[in-house]
Amino acid sequence: MNHTRVGSFVRDAVIGTAVIAGLYGLAYVEFPLFRMTGYLVVMGFGVLEGVLGPVQSNFELVFGLYLVGLGLVGAAVVTGFRAVMGDRGRPAWQFGVAGALAVVGVLWLLFMLLVLFWSA
């Protein structure tokens, strides 16, 4: 039973990380609405970089770890949701995608609150 939970968490983390990396990749698309999700991922990293200090020498490594961290947070959210609600017969990949989209949704909400309360 515990092995199944660990396997589900790892699967959700991998799927979530892939979805978040794909959403970041949309920042390079020329259509403005698609670019917004990539911008949100970068903005979250900017806040983290403000706390850690400049990371230019190891940018690729730290940014990759940031994307993996977001995938792990999404997997933790989905694990909690799965514990409360159960699987309900849904395909396993949907939970990983849901966790990634939940993380990006929270980034979106935080960005909107930042604009609302700290803009001129």
Side-chain angles (χ1 to χ4, degrees):
M1 175 95 163
N2 194 19
H3 178 67
T4 304
R5 288 182 188 171
V6 171
S8 297
F9 182 82
V10 170
R11 180 191 60 234
D12 293 340
V14 168
I15 292 171
T17 302
V19 169
I20 290 173
L23 291 174
Y24 167 70
L26 288 176
Y28 297 103
V29 174
E30 292 300 319
F31 190 64
L33 289 176
F34 289 154
R35 297 180 90 178
M36 217 32 212
T37 57
Y39 179 69
L40 289 171
V41 173
V42 170
M43 286 295 295
F45 183 72
V47 171
L48 181 67
E49 191 175 24
V51 171
L52 295 177
V55 292
Q56 285 87 10
S57 61
N58 296 321
F59 177 79
E60 292 84 10
L61 174 67
V62 176
F63 189 75
L65 290 174
Y66 167 71
L67 291 179
V68 170
L70 290 179
L72 291 173
V73 169
V77 167
V78 169
T79 300
F81 177 78
R82 187 180 283 133
V84 172
M85 300 299 291
D87 283 341
R88 299 191 178 225
R90 300 230 183 257
W93 63 269
Q94 286 182 353
F95 288 102
V97 172
L101 294 178
V103 167
V104 172
V106 168
L107 287 174
W108 184 273
L109 177 67
L110 292 174
F111 178 69
M112 292 300 118
L113 289 174
L114 179 78
V115 168
L116 178 67
F117 291 116
W118 284 282
S119 65

